[in-house]
């Protein structure tokens, strides 16, 4: 009898969470493995890949960490950077720390951070 992968996946798709949990336990007992121990090396490998990606990062986020004492100036700077309306910009500033812009180039991120700092806020590029 040949293994039918599609039938197996269809059967898994129709199982409840409790049934899937029982299946995982049965596989762990049958083969003497642990799903938790198998996840750790995979997570470590993913972290190593993320570290390599961070070295050659091309997209950055601008994060407002603190609005500072000059809130009105910071709100104006946020509006200029993001194009948000007054209420949305005020909510963003009041909710610091928050992302102001996401996925932008290094030069744009540096300019945005500079503008926020000049307005009296504390901001950083991540």
């Amino acid at each position: 009898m040949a293994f039918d992968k599609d039938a197996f996946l269809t059967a898994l798709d129709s199982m409840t969470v409790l049934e899937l949990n029982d299946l995982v336990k049965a596989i762990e007992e049958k083969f003497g493995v642990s799903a938790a121990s198998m996840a750790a090396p995979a997570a470590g490998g993913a972290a190593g890949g993320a570290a390599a990606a961070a070295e050659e990062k091309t997209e950055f986020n601008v994060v407002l960490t603190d609005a500072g004492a000059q809130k009105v100036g910071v709100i104006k700077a946020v509006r200029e950077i993001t194009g948000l309306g007054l209420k949305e910009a005020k909510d963003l500033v009041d909710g610091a720390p928050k992302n102001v812009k996401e996925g932008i180039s290094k030069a744009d991120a540096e300019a945005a951070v500079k503008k926020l700092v000049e307005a009296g806020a504390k901001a950083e590029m991540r």
Side-chain angles (χ1 to χ4, degrees):
M1 176 172 122
F3 178 72
D4 186 3
K5 180 174 57 173
D6 292 330
F8 180 72
L9 292 174
T10 302
L12 286 178
D13 193 36
S14 66
M15 295 175 82
T16 67
V17 174
L18 291 175
E19 291 170 331
L20 288 170
N21 187 39
D22 290 341
L23 176 63
V24 169
K25 286 180 183 177
I27 292 171
E28 288 176 343
E29 289 175 14
K30 170 81 175 170
F31 298 104
V33 296
S34 168
S37 67
M38 296 307 292
E55 291 175 13
E56 54 188 86
K57 194 170 184 179
T58 58
E59 291 186 349
F60 296 87
N61 296 340
V62 175
V63 181
L64 176 68
T65 56
D66 184 28
Q70 303 295 325
K71 227 179 192 181
V72 173
V74 175
I75 292 171
K76 287 180 181 179
V78 167
R79 290 188 69 200
E80 189 176 324
I81 294 166
T82 62
L84 291 174
L86 181 60
K87 182 180 181 339
E88 291 83 6
K90 181 183 180 304
D91 291 345
L92 189 145
V93 170
D94 288 341
K98 288 250 183 163
N99 285 349
V100 176
K101 282 288 249 191
E102 296 178 347
I104 60 176
S105 71
K106 185 175 183 178
D108 290 342
E110 288 171 346
V113 168
K114 182 179 177 191
K115 190 172 288 194
L116 289 167
V117 170
E118 287 173 353
K122 290 182 183 172
E124 60 186 41
M125 186 173 67
R126 293 185 186 161

